[in-house]
Amino acid sequence: MASLSSSLRSFSAGRRRLLPASRASPPLSSRSPPRRLAFSADFGGLSLTGARSRNLVPRAKSSMAGTATESGKKKVEVFETEEDLAVSLAKYAADLSAKFVEERGAFSVVLSGGSLIKSLRKLAEAPYIDSVDWSRWHVLWVDERVVPKDHDDSNYKLAYNGFLSKLPILPGNVYAINDALSAEGAADDYETCIKHLVKNSTVASSESGLPKFDLMLLGMGPDGHVASLFPGHPLVRENKKWITFIKDSPKPPPERITFTFPVINASAHIALVVAGAGKAGVVHAALGNSQSPDQLPVEMVSPEGELTWFLDKDAASKL
């Protein structure tokens, strides 16, 4: 296994290979408030709160009742547009940042890849670019493709180009995988890195001893996969390791590392961000009254803390 320092240095190496992006952004005051229709699902049933959208009335089913975990709460927010979703997501992340920085002096954030990164773009604009204490952010990845950081398949490169390069986060606080290692070696090395961050209290620890990330930002694939945990793959049942590897991903590239569900579900807050009509069927399967006997990976996201779904109206169109 490579040394821990190789993982902690990898962000700086990646930065040198990528071009910086512009930080120019329009003022927040020029935008209207996000138009949303927000739901809260709990054991008591489905309640409607804060309706702002016009002509957006998802056909929510009472079968959503009771989907919250005993120690947490599931909230579903539906926005008229992806732009509205992105505005609200930025405020959600900034508010949690302020909370955890005040409480424990650090904010641990876990990213995934895909379209999620585009939806985080508002963090690089006013007022957050100047008001958030970026020096306290510690950024990790819930999964990564085992490719060089300048490769088009790299989740690191996607996040760097999409918004990390526009934020004054300390390079040493961004933890990319060691892409010089094999998939198995990179997974072991990343787990060692996270154990170090838990030991020095950069990342909180759950009662069970698992890392308790302050905020995990997840996307969802059109097949219902999250991270690199795919439907029907044995890794969805892995419960011993914090980080594991996959060499036969059904979606290319085949070699990846991924958090396991025990670590994902130990998070204090999880945001599941889904946009587009192409994912409406899977959203319905996860949140609606689907009778399918096969549990999708996204349905296994059940954090000890709070789970919030951020949906645009196209993704929620079958609810």
Side-chain angles (χ1 to χ4, degrees):
M1 183 189 305
S3 66
L4 171 65
S5 61
S6 64
S7 284
L8 303 184
R9 289 196 303 267
S10 56
F11 172 68
S12 297
R15 287 180 72 96
R16 288 195 293 270
R17 286 197 289 268
L18 299 176
L19 296 176
S22 169
R23 289 175 53 175
S25 60
L28 187 68
S29 59
S30 64
R31 307 188 205 103
S32 58
R35 293 160 293 174
R36 85 180 84 186
L37 199 59
F39 303 92
S40 294
D42 209 335
F43 290 103
L46 182 69
S47 61
L48 182 64
T49 60
R52 300 177 63 107
S53 299
R54 294 167 303 189
N55 304 320
L56 178 58
V57 185
R59 297 179 297 278
K61 305 291 186 180
S62 59
S63 60
M64 287 176 61
T67 55
T69 60
E70 214 169 284
S71 59
K73 184 179 181 181
K74 177 183 290 184
K75 183 179 181 182
V76 181
E77 293 196 318
V78 180
F79 300 88
E80 276 201 357
T81 67
E82 190 277 336
E83 176 76 7
D84 292 331
L85 182 158
V87 170
S88 185
L89 183 62
K91 183 179 187 304
Y92 168 84
D95 288 348
L96 286 177
S97 173
K99 164 185 160 65
F100 283 105
V101 167
E102 180 179 358
E103 288 179 358
R104 60 183 205 85
F107 185 49
S108 57
V109 182
V110 180
L111 304 176
S112 58
S115 59
L116 166 77
I117 300 303
K118 178 185 174 184
S119 294
L120 293 172
R121 64 190 180 277
K122 300 299 181 182
L123 284 169
E125 299 179 4
Y128 310 114
I129 187 67
D130 298 315
S131 63
V132 170
D133 189 350
W134 299 109
S135 68
R136 306 299 182 92
W137 278 48
H138 294 264
V139 179
L140 302 97
W141 276 263
V142 71
D143 71 323
E144 179 59 284
R145 292 85 179 271
V146 184
V147 296
K149 292 180 187 64
D150 57 358
H151 193 283
D152 286 344
D153 287 333
S154 167
N155 282 343
Y156 165 85
K157 180 181 179 181
L158 178 66
Y160 182 87
N161 287 346
F163 80 109
L164 286 180
S165 62
K166 306 169 189 178
L167 302 176
I169 298 175
L170 299 176
N173 288 359
V174 179
Y175 308 93
I177 72 166
N178 186 338
D179 57 12
L181 301 176
S182 66
E184 183 175 8
D188 289 343
D189 187 66
Y190 211 50
E191 182 166 323
T192 298
C193 171
I194 293 172
K195 286 180 176 178
H196 174 78
L197 295 175
V198 171
K199 185 176 181 180
N200 67 19
S201 298
T202 298
V203 173
S205 178
S206 69
E207 292 183 1
S208 60
L210 293 168
K212 187 175 184 177
F213 295 102
D214 299 327
L215 173 60
M216 188 167 293
L217 293 155
L218 298 177
M220 181 193 75
D223 59 353
H225 83 266
V226 293
S228 284
L229 299 167
F230 294 91
H233 197 282
L235 284 186
V236 300
R237 303 297 175 188
E238 171 62 50
N239 60 10
K240 302 297 183 185
K241 295 182 178 181
W242 290 8
I243 315 294
T244 191
F245 67 97
I246 180 171
K247 288 189 172 182
D248 57 348
S249 168
K251 179 181 177 181
E255 296 196 358
R256 302 157 175 245
I257 73 159
T258 184
F259 284 19
T260 58
F261 272 119
V263 173
I264 290 172
N265 287 331
S267 300
H269 295 267
I270 295 180
L272 256 167
V273 183
V274 186
K279 298 179 181 179
V282 180
V283 170
H284 175 259
L287 294 175
N289 62 347
S290 172
Q291 302 301 313
S292 173
D294 299 320
Q295 189 178 37
L296 295 170
V298 70
E299 295 179 87
M300 299 173 69
V301 177
S302 182
E304 296 176 8
E306 296 183 2
L307 170 61
T308 303
W309 285 73
F310 287 80
L311 307 173
D312 70 356
K313 67 178 180 182
D314 290 337
S317 60
K318 295 186 178 181
L319 289 179

